[in-house]
Structures are given as C-alpha cells and as structure tokens.
Amino acid sequence: MITINVSDLLLAFIAALGIPSTIMGLLTWRLKKRIEAAEEEQSQKNNGQKELIMILVQSTRASIALGEATARAVQRIPDAHCNGDMHAALQYATDIKHRQKDFLDRQGIDALLDD
C-alpha cells in the first residue's frame, strides 16, 4: 500500500500546475515579443509610405509649377505664336493643381476629425 502524506500531495499538485503554467507563460511571452516586433516593422513601413507619398505630392506640385512658369514664359515671346493648346494645357495644369490642393485639404480635415 502506498502512503502519501498531505504535504507531499500538495507539493506534487503545485508542481503539476506550475510546470505547464510556466511553459505557457514563456510561450505567451515569446509570442507577444514577435507580435510587437511585427507591429514595429509595420509602423516603420507605414511611416516610409507616408513620407514617399508626401515627396510624390511635392514633386507633382514642383512639376506643375515648372510647367506653368515655362508656359507663361513662352507666351511672352512675341515670335512663339502660341496656339490654343498652350492656353488649354496651362488652364488644365492650374485646375489639377487646385483640385489636388482641395483634396489634400479635405484629407487633412478628415484626419483631424477621425478618432
């Protein structure tokens, strides 16, 4: 017959509960670290994409400004004989510039109001 006293039974019970809990705690901790690392990497990618979009918008604005300046300079040349295409292209560039500005303004306001 096997005899086990209460203290040995209690110690065995605590050990039986403690080992799996410790293993699960370590697994959970490692999983949490992996998730945090992935979130940090995704955050860096998002910041990079935001910066790229900002640079693209700025380069578009610079291109439109350069095109407008060139068109206005050519229009001032008496012998250039600008046809309606130059005027239409200049008006189109100006319209697009204003539409882009309005869109970005709306996006900024929406970003401020979103929670």
Side-chain angles (χ1 to χ4, degrees):
M1 180 176 228
I2 301 174
T3 57
I4 300 176
N5 61 17
V6 175
S7 63
D8 289 341
L9 182 64
L10 185 61
L11 184 62
F13 181 72
I14 291 173
L17 289 179
I19 292 172
S21 296
T22 303
I23 292 171
M24 285 305 296
L26 289 173
L27 291 175
T28 304
W29 177 73
R30 286 192 51 131
L31 181 62
K32 180 183 172 190
K33 289 294 183 184
R34 283 186 184 172
I35 290 171
E36 288 174 351
E39 287 176 349
E40 177 65 28
E41 183 178 334
Q42 186 64 37
S43 176
Q44 289 176 354
K45 284 181 182 180
N46 288 345
N47 289 339
Q49 288 177 343
K50 287 178 185 177
E51 189 173 338
L52 174 63
I53 290 171
M54 180 60 80
I55 291 170
L56 290 173
V57 167
Q58 289 172 345
S59 67
T60 301
R61 287 181 178 171
S63 297
I64 291 173
L66 179 61
E68 286 177 327
T70 302
R72 293 187 197 290
V74 169
Q75 285 177 345
R76 286 191 291 259
I77 299 173
D79 296 333
H81 302 294
C82 294
N83 57 16
D85 292 342
M86 177 71 79
H87 299 292
L90 184 57
Q91 183 61 41
Y92 177 71
T94 303
D95 291 344
I96 293 297
K97 179 178 71 174
H98 291 298
R99 283 179 44 201
Q100 183 186 50
K101 181 185 177 300
D102 293 341
F103 171 77
L104 293 172
D105 287 345
R106 282 193 311 274
Q107 291 298 311
I109 290 171
D110 290 343
L112 289 173
L113 296 177
D114 287 343
D115 289 338

PDB file of all heavy atoms in Angstrom, residues 101-115:
ATOM      1  N   LYS A 101      -4.911  70.400 -54.341  1.00  0.00           N
ATOM      2  CA  LYS A 101      -4.856  71.165 -53.093  1.00  0.00           C
ATOM      3  C   LYS A 101      -6.142  70.995 -52.290  1.00  0.00           C
ATOM      4  O   LYS A 101      -6.102  70.756 -51.080  1.00  0.00           O
ATOM      5  CB  LYS A 101      -4.601  72.638 -53.386  1.00  0.00           C
ATOM      6  CG  LYS A 101      -4.494  73.509 -52.143  1.00  0.00           C
ATOM      7  CD  LYS A 101      -4.357  74.966 -52.528  1.00  0.00           C
ATOM      8  CE  LYS A 101      -4.331  75.863 -51.337  1.00  0.00           C
ATOM      9  NZ  LYS A 101      -5.520  75.810 -50.500  1.00  0.00           N
ATOM     10  N   ASP A 102      -7.289  71.080 -52.965  1.00  0.00           N
ATOM     11  CA  ASP A 102      -8.576  70.902 -52.280  1.00  0.00           C
ATOM     12  C   ASP A 102      -8.698  69.497 -51.694  1.00  0.00           C
ATOM     13  O   ASP A 102      -9.170  69.320 -50.560  1.00  0.00           O
ATOM     14  CB  ASP A 102      -9.741  71.174 -53.229  1.00  0.00           C
ATOM     15  CG  ASP A 102      -9.821  72.630 -53.649  1.00  0.00           C
ATOM     16  OD1 ASP A 102      -9.221  73.490 -52.959  1.00  0.00           O
ATOM     17  OD2 ASP A 102     -10.476  72.909 -54.678  1.00  0.00           O
ATOM     18  N   PHE A 103      -8.285  68.485 -52.446  1.00  0.00           N
ATOM     19  CA  PHE A 103      -8.343  67.108 -51.961  1.00  0.00           C
ATOM     20  C   PHE A 103      -7.487  66.929 -50.717  1.00  0.00           C
ATOM     21  O   PHE A 103      -7.925  66.352 -49.725  1.00  0.00           O
ATOM     22  CB  PHE A 103      -7.894  66.138 -53.062  1.00  0.00           C
ATOM     23  CG  PHE A 103      -7.732  64.732 -52.579  1.00  0.00           C
ATOM     24  CD1 PHE A 103      -8.842  63.926 -52.374  1.00  0.00           C
ATOM     25  CD2 PHE A 103      -6.475  64.211 -52.307  1.00  0.00           C
ATOM     26  CE1 PHE A 103      -8.695  62.622 -51.916  1.00  0.00           C
ATOM     27  CE2 PHE A 103      -6.326  62.918 -51.854  1.00  0.00           C
ATOM     28  CZ  PHE A 103      -7.436  62.118 -51.651  1.00  0.00           C
ATOM     29  N   LEU A 104      -6.263  67.426 -50.767  1.00  0.00           N
ATOM     30  CA  LEU A 104      -5.359  67.286 -49.623  1.00  0.00           C
ATOM     31  C   LEU A 104      -5.871  68.064 -48.415  1.00  0.00           C
ATOM     32  O   LEU A 104      -5.727  67.616 -47.275  1.00  0.00           O
ATOM     33  CB  LEU A 104      -3.945  67.707 -50.000  1.00  0.00           C
ATOM     34  CG  LEU A 104      -3.257  66.787 -51.009  1.00  0.00           C
ATOM     35  CD1 LEU A 104      -1.942  67.397 -51.469  1.00  0.00           C
ATOM     36  CD2 LEU A 104      -3.045  65.410 -50.435  1.00  0.00           C
ATOM     37  N   ASP A 105      -6.494  69.206 -48.666  1.00  0.00           N
ATOM     38  CA  ASP A 105      -7.098  69.964 -47.558  1.00  0.00           C
ATOM     39  C   ASP A 105      -8.216  69.157 -46.906  1.00  0.00           C
ATOM     40  O   ASP A 105      -8.303  69.072 -45.680  1.00  0.00           O
ATOM     41  CB  ASP A 105      -7.644  71.306 -48.046  1.00  0.00           C
ATOM     42  CG  ASP A 105      -6.550  72.306 -48.370  1.00  0.00           C
ATOM     43  OD1 ASP A 105      -5.385  72.074 -47.964  1.00  0.00           O
ATOM     44  OD2 ASP A 105      -6.852  73.311 -49.037  1.00  0.00           O
ATOM     45  N   ARG A 106      -9.087  68.545 -47.722  1.00  0.00           N
ATOM     46  CA  ARG A 106     -10.176  67.721 -47.183  1.00  0.00           C
ATOM     47  C   ARG A 106      -9.624  66.531 -46.417  1.00  0.00           C
ATOM     48  O   ARG A 106     -10.126  66.170 -45.354  1.00  0.00           O
ATOM     49  CB  ARG A 106     -11.089  67.228 -48.303  1.00  0.00           C
ATOM     50  CG  ARG A 106     -12.054  68.259 -48.823  1.00  0.00           C
ATOM     51  CD  ARG A 106     -13.122  67.633 -49.700  1.00  0.00           C
ATOM     52  NE  ARG A 106     -12.623  66.751 -50.729  1.00  0.00           N
ATOM     53  CZ  ARG A 106     -12.212  67.108 -51.942  1.00  0.00           C
ATOM     54  NH1 ARG A 106     -12.230  68.384 -52.273  1.00  0.00           N
ATOM     55  NH2 ARG A 106     -11.790  66.215 -52.805  1.00  0.00           N
ATOM     56  N   GLN A 107      -8.570  65.896 -46.937  1.00  0.00           N
ATOM     57  CA  GLN A 107      -7.976  64.750 -46.264  1.00  0.00           C
ATOM     58  C   GLN A 107      -7.408  65.156 -44.910  1.00  0.00           C
ATOM     59  O   GLN A 107      -7.518  64.420 -43.941  1.00  0.00           O
ATOM     60  CB  GLN A 107      -6.872  64.121 -47.123  1.00  0.00           C
ATOM     61  CG  GLN A 107      -7.379  63.445 -48.363  1.00  0.00           C
ATOM     62  CD  GLN A 107      -8.303  62.297 -48.048  1.00  0.00           C
ATOM     63  OE1 GLN A 107      -7.992  61.453 -47.229  1.00  0.00           O
ATOM     64  NE2 GLN A 107      -9.446  62.276 -48.693  1.00  0.00           N
ATOM     65  N   GLY A 108      -6.793  66.328 -44.857  1.00  0.00           N
ATOM     66  CA  GLY A 108      -6.249  66.813 -43.592  1.00  0.00           C
ATOM     67  C   GLY A 108      -7.332  67.068 -42.570  1.00  0.00           C
ATOM     68  O   GLY A 108      -7.192  66.712 -41.392  1.00  0.00           O
ATOM     69  N   ILE A 109      -8.438  67.628 -42.997  1.00  0.00           N
ATOM     70  CA  ILE A 109      -9.551  67.889 -42.087  1.00  0.00           C
ATOM     71  C   ILE A 109     -10.156  66.578 -41.630  1.00  0.00           C
ATOM     72  O   ILE A 109     -10.453  66.395 -40.445  1.00  0.00           O
ATOM     73  CB  ILE A 109     -10.605  68.791 -42.767  1.00  0.00           C
ATOM     74  CG1 ILE A 109     -10.045  70.196 -42.921  1.00  0.00           C
ATOM     75  CG2 ILE A 109     -11.908  68.812 -41.965  1.00  0.00           C
ATOM     76  CD1 ILE A 109     -10.892  71.121 -43.753  1.00  0.00           C
ATOM     77  N   ASP A 110     -10.334  65.623 -42.557  1.00  0.00           N
ATOM     78  CA  ASP A 110     -10.874  64.302 -42.173  1.00  0.00           C
ATOM     79  C   ASP A 110      -9.966  63.617 -41.182  1.00  0.00           C
ATOM     80  O   ASP A 110     -10.439  62.983 -40.234  1.00  0.00           O
ATOM     81  CB  ASP A 110     -11.065  63.423 -43.412  1.00  0.00           C
ATOM     82  CG  ASP A 110     -12.197  63.900 -44.299  1.00  0.00           C
ATOM     83  OD1 ASP A 110     -13.043  64.711 -43.821  1.00  0.00           O
ATOM     84  OD2 ASP A 110     -12.262  63.475 -45.468  1.00  0.00           O
ATOM     85  N   ALA A 111      -8.655  63.717 -41.363  1.00  0.00           N
ATOM     86  CA  ALA A 111      -7.714  63.078 -40.446  1.00  0.00           C
ATOM     87  C   ALA A 111      -7.806  63.705 -39.054  1.00  0.00           C
ATOM     88  O   ALA A 111      -7.662  63.016 -38.045  1.00  0.00           O
ATOM     89  CB  ALA A 111      -6.281  63.186 -40.987  1.00  0.00           C
ATOM     90  N   LEU A 112      -8.048  65.001 -38.988  1.00  0.00           N
ATOM     91  CA  LEU A 112      -8.184  65.665 -37.698  1.00  0.00           C
ATOM     92  C   LEU A 112      -9.463  65.244 -36.969  1.00  0.00           C
ATOM     93  O   LEU A 112      -9.488  65.144 -35.745  1.00  0.00           O
ATOM     94  CB  LEU A 112      -8.192  67.184 -37.864  1.00  0.00           C
ATOM     95  CG  LEU A 112      -6.861  67.838 -38.245  1.00  0.00           C
ATOM     96  CD1 LEU A 112      -7.078  69.312 -38.531  1.00  0.00           C
ATOM     97  CD2 LEU A 112      -5.846  67.656 -37.139  1.00  0.00           C
ATOM     98  N   LEU A 113     -10.521  64.987 -37.743  1.00  0.00           N
ATOM     99  CA  LEU A 113     -11.804  64.671 -37.129  1.00  0.00           C
ATOM    100  C   LEU A 113     -11.974  63.195 -36.812  1.00  0.00           C
ATOM    101  O   LEU A 113     -12.815  62.839 -36.000  1.00  0.00           O
ATOM    102  CB  LEU A 113     -12.946  65.127 -38.046  1.00  0.00           C
ATOM    103  CG  LEU A 113     -13.017  66.638 -38.283  1.00  0.00           C
ATOM    104  CD1 LEU A 113     -14.140  66.966 -39.252  1.00  0.00           C
ATOM    105  CD2 LEU A 113     -13.210  67.381 -36.983  1.00  0.00           C
ATOM    106  N   ASP A 114     -11.203  62.307 -37.453  1.00  0.00           N
ATOM    107  CA  ASP A 114     -11.308  60.872 -37.179  1.00  0.00           C
ATOM    108  C   ASP A 114     -10.681  60.552 -35.844  1.00  0.00           C
ATOM    109  O   ASP A 114      -9.653  61.090 -35.468  1.00  0.00           O
ATOM    110  CB  ASP A 114     -10.605  60.051 -38.267  1.00  0.00           C
ATOM    111  CG  ASP A 114     -11.403  60.044 -39.562  1.00  0.00           C
ATOM    112  OD1 ASP A 114     -12.600  60.383 -39.517  1.00  0.00           O
ATOM    113  OD2 ASP A 114     -10.821  59.683 -40.603  1.00  0.00           O
ATOM    114  N   ASP A 115     -11.316  59.658 -35.119  1.00  0.00           N
ATOM    115  CA  ASP A 115     -10.777  59.238 -33.811  1.00  0.00           C
ATOM    116  C   ASP A 115     -10.018  57.949 -33.948  1.00  0.00           C
ATOM    117  O   ASP A 115     -10.259  57.089 -34.662  1.00  0.00           O
ATOM    118  CB  ASP A 115     -11.913  59.053 -32.800  1.00  0.00           C
ATOM    119  CG  ASP A 115     -12.506  60.406 -32.407  1.00  0.00           C
ATOM    120  OD1 ASP A 115     -11.833  61.410 -32.561  1.00  0.00           O
ATOM    121  OD2 ASP A 115     -13.667  60.399 -31.935  1.00  0.00           O
TER     122      ASP A 115
END
